[in-house]
Structures are given as structure tokens and as C-alpha cells.
Amino acid sequence: RIKSLLEKVSAKDADGFLLSEPNNIFYFSGFRSASQSVLLLLTGSPSALIVPELEFEAASSETSGLDVAKVPRGGKLVDQLSTIMAERRVGSLLTDEMPLLLFRSLSEKVRNVKLTLETDLIWELRKIKDSSEIEKIREAAKLADEGFKAACDKIRSGIREFELAAEIEYAMRRSGSEGLAFDSIVASGVRSSLPHGTSTHRRIETGDLVVIDIGAVFGGYRSDLTRTLCLGHASDEKLRMFDVVRTAQSESHRRLLPGTRCGDVDSAARRVIEAAGYGEFFVHGVGHGVGLDIHEPPRLGIGGEEVLAEGNVVTNEPGVYVPGLGGVRVEDTVVVRAGGAEALTHAPKLFEV
């Protein structure tokens, strides 16, 4: 990965790439720091990982092929970084989106070094998952499936949204999840029309639509799964909403192929929803990339010109959200493959429970 990136850096006539975003550092080094660290990748000199003293032992044992430098207690990261840059005669660097305070401090410290923001090169590599990354996401997807199983087991009239979320999260952690991919969403009743409605103290009632949006983490990689349940008997309108969303998801799934424009995937789902009269209630894109971050390129939205490639891992999540009635979303984490998209999440698409 480092070699591929530095080849791209050389083509831009820069001396290296300075990474400060934790997931970028993890992607290229295998080390995840809980404190501010930087990874200095250089084309003509040894690369260096600079970490606080309390992270030095872990960084040294978890990385290879990198110089690991520590910031002593009471010291400043920019001082250590600028010293190494001077020793290695760095004149220009590409950077990821570093914290503003770090950027200002570094700019003042190394006024003779040109710093250029460049994120596209990173995403060109990160958005195409190799087999080991896909297997980690697959494991994270299995853990999310376990979470949904717990939701089906525990849901009942009178349970609060945050209580059901806790049961889901416990099931995922107990099964091996390293954490939550994002804050779990359990949104019920009229609140289910909020696409990102967080879990609250509201008690779930018979007849409610309940949107459950959850994700697990395995090996640092994330999954994303949404199912919508109706507690008890569903009205004809709610059943229709569910059927429309299911059909829309099937249509967009068929178009998750290498060479397809992202906007065309969105359009496939959107046409179904619009034809059913719910077009104004589909208020987001049909999907996004997933990996070390829960939202990554490519973005599958209206008019998206980016073209899908083999190895992209994306969500497929059409939804209908009717204020005052409720919402329905169905979402899977999917690998783009030449022979047809492969869903990694397999939780049953139940409705009435």
C-alpha cells in the first residue's frame, strides 16, 4: 500500500505524504493510535511514524518497515516532526485532512516546506478493498446480523428504544464486535420518519414502524445494516411502503456492477419509489462506501458520475420517510463484483413481528 501511494506521490513531484487521520494511519501502518500521531511517508528517505511516548511500545510492536519516533512527555509532536523533516531534507508534502491546529503549528514551524492537501490519492486506494479487507467486513456484517437477531428476540410493546438498542449492542459485542460502527438507531412510531433518528426514551407500541440501523466492527472494518419492523399488524399503507422499498432495493442491487455510474444505481431505486408516489419522501442517496469509516467514497446519489469498480464495498439503502406516519428503510452492505453484487449482510427482511 505504501509503495502504491508513493508511486502516485512521485508522479506529483512531492517528497512524501503526511498522514494524520487515524484511519489513514492505520490503513498504511497497521497501527491505531488513541492519541494524536502522524505518519510521514517519504519517497527518498525512510518513512516514520511519530507517536506520543505512551504509544511508543505498541507502535513499535505493531508496525514493520517504519522508523518509529516518540514524542517525549512534555514535548510537542510538531517539534519532533519538523526535526525529522529537516534531517530528511523534505521540501514538499501532500497531506490528508489534518486538524487545523496541527496544520497551523506545522506551517509556522516549517515555512520552507510546501504542504498541499490531497485526499483523492488516498481514496483511490482505500475505496477498492482487497480480499482481506472484504473478509473483515464480512465478519463485521455477521456480527450486525447477530444484533438484528437480538432485536427480533427482544422487541416487545413497552420496551424503550434505548433499551432495545442496548440489547442489540450487547449481542454484537458478546459475539465479537470491537465496538459500534456508529451510534445505533432504533427509531419507532412517527420518529421512524427521521432517517438518522437516534434512540430515545420513547416506548415502542403495537402497530409502530421501527427502523433499526446498526453496525459492528471487526479488524477495524465496519458494517452497516438496516431493517424495518412493524410490531404487530401493519396497516395497508405501511405494508405498501415496505413492499415499495424492498422492490427498490432489489432494482438498485442489480445495478451494483463494475462500470456502472453511481447515479444510475440511485436512479434505479428512485424510479421505483417515484412510480409508487413516494418520490418526495426518499430524501437521501441510495448508498455510500463502507470500510474503516462508516461513510466513504463512492457516494451513490442523484447524478453521481463516479463509476463503480470491482472491490468497492457499498451500502444499498433506499428508504421512504412520511412525516406523521413513519419510515421504512432496508439496507445491506454489498461487495461490487463482476459476476453480480454480493450482499455481506444476511439478516432476514422481516416486517410484521
Side-chain angles (χ1 to χ4, degrees), residues 37 44 49 57-58 85 90-91 107 120 123 138 159-160 168 170 180 212 218 225 239 270 299 306 315:
S37 303
L49 175 62
E57 182 180 358
M85 289 168 62
V90 175
S107 298
D120 288 348
W123 287 117
R138 188 189 305 279
I159 192 171
R160 296 184 188 273
I168 292 166
Y170 174 67
L180 300 178
I212 298 169
F218 185 87
L225 167 73
L239 283 169
R270 201 166 295 277
R299 309 283 179 170
E306 187 170 0
T315 64

Side-chain angles (χ1 to χ4, degrees), residues 97-167:
E97 294 177 341
M98 68 174 65
L100 179 60
L101 199 56
L102 175 61
F103 177 78
R104 285 178 172 172
S105 298
L106 184 60
S107 298
E108 292 173 0
K109 195 78 175 178
V110 289
R111 295 180 183 274
N112 60 327
V113 178
K114 181 182 178 182
L115 301 174
T116 304
L117 176 66
E118 172 59 78
T119 58
D120 288 348
L121 295 186
I122 301 293
W123 287 117
E124 284 176 17
L125 296 173
R126 282 187 54 183
K127 70 185 178 183
I128 306 293
K129 272 59 178 182
D130 62 29
S131 59
S132 67
E133 292 178 286
I134 290 171
E135 288 310 305
K136 289 170 184 172
I137 299 172
R138 188 189 305 279
E139 290 301 315
K142 290 178 183 177
L143 295 169
D145 289 342
E146 288 297 315
F148 181 69
K149 180 181 177 183
C152 293
D153 291 342
K154 300 295 184 180
I155 193 170
R156 67 182 187 279
S157 180
I159 192 171
R160 296 184 188 273
E161 291 174 348
F162 73 82
E163 291 179 287
L164 187 58
E167 296 285 0

Side-chain angles (χ1 to χ4, degrees), residues 169-238:
E169 292 166 5
Y170 174 67
M172 293 192 297
R173 290 302 296 260
R174 182 185 58 201
S175 298
S177 182
E178 296 161 8
L180 300 178
F182 50 89
D183 288 342
S184 302
I185 294 173
V186 176
S188 63
V190 295
R191 294 192 65 259
S192 62
S193 69
L194 305 174
H196 283 168
T198 55
S199 305
T200 71
H201 288 254
R202 184 186 185 277
R203 293 188 185 276
I204 297 172
E205 301 172 357
T206 300
D208 278 351
L209 290 172
V210 185
V211 173
I212 298 169
D213 189 348
I214 57 178
V217 183
F218 185 87
Y221 287 79
R222 299 164 193 263
S223 59
D224 201 350
L225 167 73
T226 303
R227 295 291 185 263
T228 301
L229 300 175
C230 183
L231 184 60
H233 179 71
S235 68
D236 290 345
E237 181 71 6
K238 291 174 181 177

Side-chain angles (χ1 to χ4, degrees), residues 13 15 22 24-25 30-31 37 39 51 59 76-77 91 107 138 149 170 180 188 198 247 254-255 262 283-284 298 343:
D13 294 324
D15 295 328
N24 286 338
I25 293 174
F31 175 68
S37 303
L39 178 60
V51 300
K76 294 182 178 180
L77 185 145
S107 298
R138 188 189 305 279
K149 180 181 177 183
Y170 174 67
L180 300 178
S188 63
T198 55
T247 301
R254 290 172 49 229
R255 287 162 176 77
C262 290
V283 295
H284 55 73

